Amino acid sequence: MMEKIDYAAEINRLKKEKNAFILAHYYQTGGIQDIADKVGDSLALAQWAAKTTADIIVLCGVHFMGETAKILCPEKKVLIPDMEAGCSLADSCPADEFEKFVKAHPDHQVISYVNTSAAVKALTDVVVTSTNAHKIVASFPQDALLIFGPDRNLGNYINSITGRNMLLWDGACHVHEQFSLEKILALKNAHPEAEVIAHPECKQPILQIADFIGSTAALLNHTVQSPKTEFIVSTESGIIHEMRKRNPHKTFIPAPPNDSTCACNECNFMRLNTMEKLYHCLRDETPEILVDEEIRLRAVKPIQRMLELS
């Protein structure tokens, strides 16, 4: 008979033993969020990675987040529970194709969303997250020629609120693309007091009916501050775990996707990380995120610029 492992106890033991620091994104499963040292959105994860004194960083999120931590902390060992945890948005922007796009517009400065590979960040002037994209884009002169990649929905939203006309790369997130306007309106009809809250990676029709638009962290903070007690949540449903923890008396309804046969409001890449994989990852110190040093030196500058502007 196989011995049953108490993953939470073992992870906590290994964490102390190895001076490891566990970072988890809000889209991870509840168990991983609960055992992490810090839980946050992409910006917060980068900020904590830059500050930690731990020897090992375990990034419970997707591959580009691990790369960002490694770019900022080259001397630390950066691990990820499952190396297959990629990102549809990052995958929609291959570095070689993006480089051709950038070279075709040599008079433009390049703003890249954090949801990109290290190689794309190396082609970039400044990195942004959904938390700081508005602020950073607005910091450029009004007549500046700008490229924004890879998320066309976020880029369109930032253009609309800043009056810019950034040149957009045609990428998108498979989760935020899938939400059904028709089903959200039906939910709103059934729950007339509920607020529709949406991430700016959603398509424009969803954003047009939303009562509040913001980054993952902004959506979370809004649910705490709002007097409303019901929310229809148009982003990856993992964030609802923390929303419920902070607002135990409020109701959170995940926005439905177009396809009712799948859990398309969950990121299948984020869900590849499990407590069992986190335990093995810490125990064996693998899989490890590595970044080519030449790319890292180019990619660190736009990330540092973002952290300074944030």
Side-chain angles (χ1 to χ4, degrees), residues 4-5 27 29 41 62 97-98 154 161 173 191 202 220 236 241 247 299 301:
K4 195 167 179 351
I5 296 169
Y27 297 168
T29 59
D41 62 0
V62 292
E97 295 296 318
F98 192 64
L154 178 62
I161 60 175
C173 161
H191 302 267
C202 293
L220 176 61
E236 212 278 355
H241 177 73
N247 306 281
K301 291 173 187 171

Side-chain angles (χ1 to χ4, degrees), residues 55-102:
D55 298 314
I56 295 173
I57 297 171
V58 185
L59 203 301
C60 297
V62 292
H63 193 269
F64 78 79
M65 297 173 181
E67 279 191 333
T68 304
K70 186 65 179 178
I71 289 164
L72 289 166
C73 312
E75 75 292 349
K76 298 187 188 302
K77 183 174 274 192
V78 177
L79 307 174
I80 187 169
D82 192 321
M83 195 62 94
E84 295 302 309
C87 168
S88 59
L89 181 53
D91 291 347
S92 73
C93 187
D96 55 345
E97 295 296 318
F98 192 64
E99 185 171 18
K100 288 177 200 164
F101 185 66
V102 169

Side-chain angles (χ1 to χ4, degrees), residues 214-232:
S215 66
T216 315
L219 296 178
L220 176 61
N221 292 336
H222 178 74
T223 64
V224 175
Q225 291 156 10
S226 172
K228 293 282 187 178
T229 57
E230 276 189 300
F231 300 88
I232 297 164

Side-chain angles (χ1 to χ4, degrees), residues 27-29 236-238 266-274:
Y27 297 168
Q28 292 294 287
T29 59
E236 212 278 355
S237 58
E266 293 182 359
C267 174
N268 51 346
F269 293 114
M270 287 278 187
R271 302 308 164 104
L272 287 174
N273 297 318
T274 63

Side-chain angles (χ1 to χ4, degrees), residues 117-125 127 294-300 302:
S117 67
V120 167
K121 290 180 177 74
L123 300 166
T124 297
D125 294 298
V127 169
E294 186 192 343
I295 286 175
R296 190 194 76 78
L297 290 170
R298 282 160 51 207
V300 76

Side-chain angles (χ1 to χ4, degrees), residues 25-292:
H25 193 273
Y26 285 127
Y27 297 168
Q28 292 294 287
T29 59
I32 288 177
Q33 289 187 50
D34 291 342
I35 205 160
D37 295 294
K38 294 286 184 183
V39 182
D41 62 0
S42 298
L43 176 60
L45 297 180
Q47 289 169 326
W48 284 319
K51 288 177 194 164
T52 181
T53 56
D55 298 314
I56 295 173
I57 297 171
V58 185
L59 203 301
C60 297
V62 292
H63 193 269
F64 78 79
M65 297 173 181
E67 279 191 333
T68 304
K70 186 65 179 178
I71 289 164
L72 289 166
C73 312
E75 75 292 349
K76 298 187 188 302
K77 183 174 274 192
V78 177
L79 307 174
I80 187 169
D82 192 321
M83 195 62 94
E84 295 302 309
C87 168
S88 59
L89 181 53
D91 291 347
S92 73
C93 187
D96 55 345
E97 295 296 318
F98 192 64
E99 185 171 18
K100 288 177 200 164
F101 185 66
V102 169
K103 282 182 173 170
H105 305 90
D107 48 351
H108 285 60
Q109 293 180 80
V110 181
I111 301 173
S112 284
Y113 196 26
V114 71
N115 301 42
T116 47
S117 67
V120 167
K121 290 180 177 74
L123 300 166
T124 297
D125 294 298
V126 63
V127 169
V128 299
T129 70
S130 52
T131 299
N132 59 27
H134 181 187
K135 180 183 178 183
I136 290 175
V137 170
S139 75
F140 282 84
Q142 195 68 34
D143 59 353
L145 297 172
L146 304 172
I147 285 171
F148 185 91
D151 193 289
R152 61 175 179 266
N153 294 323
L154 178 62
N156 271 320
Y157 174 69
I158 298 297
N159 273 344
S160 74
I161 60 175
T162 59
R164 304 299 171 115
N165 188 27
M166 297 186 293
L167 200 56
L168 306 180
W169 179 264
D170 190 21
C173 161
H174 77 286
V175 173
H176 291 97
E177 282 271 285
Q178 291 296 325
F179 292 119
S180 163
L181 177 64
E182 191 181 354
K183 290 177 184 175
I184 291 172
L185 288 171
L187 266 179
K188 179 73 175 165
N189 202 34
H191 302 267
E193 291 303 306
E195 265 193 328
V196 177
I197 61 173
H199 193 284
E201 286 178 32
C202 293
K203 287 180 172 177
Q204 195 176 16
I206 306 290
L207 299 181
Q208 284 173 334
I209 62 146
D211 299 296
F212 181 83
I213 300 165
S215 66
T216 315
L219 296 178
L220 176 61
N221 292 336
H222 178 74
T223 64
V224 175
Q225 291 156 10
S226 172
K228 293 282 187 178
T229 57
E230 276 189 300
F231 300 88
I232 297 164
V233 182
S234 305
T235 191
E236 212 278 355
S237 58
I239 187 61
I240 292 175
H241 177 73
E242 186 66 18
M243 286 175 173
R244 285 179 178 143
K245 278 172 75 174
R246 294 204 199 174
N247 306 281
H249 306 301
K250 295 185 180 182
T251 301
F252 299 95
I253 307 160
N258 285 303
D259 182 355
S260 56
T261 65
C262 72
C264 300
N265 52 13
E266 293 182 359
C267 174
N268 51 346
F269 293 114
M270 287 278 187
R271 302 308 164 104
L272 287 174
N273 297 318
T274 63
M275 290 287 281
E276 183 180 2
K277 288 176 187 173
L278 173 54
Y279 161 67
H280 287 296
C281 164
L282 255 179
R283 185 192 68 184
D284 304 333
E285 298 184 22
T286 185
E288 182 179 359
I289 298 275
L290 300 169
V291 177
D292 175 82

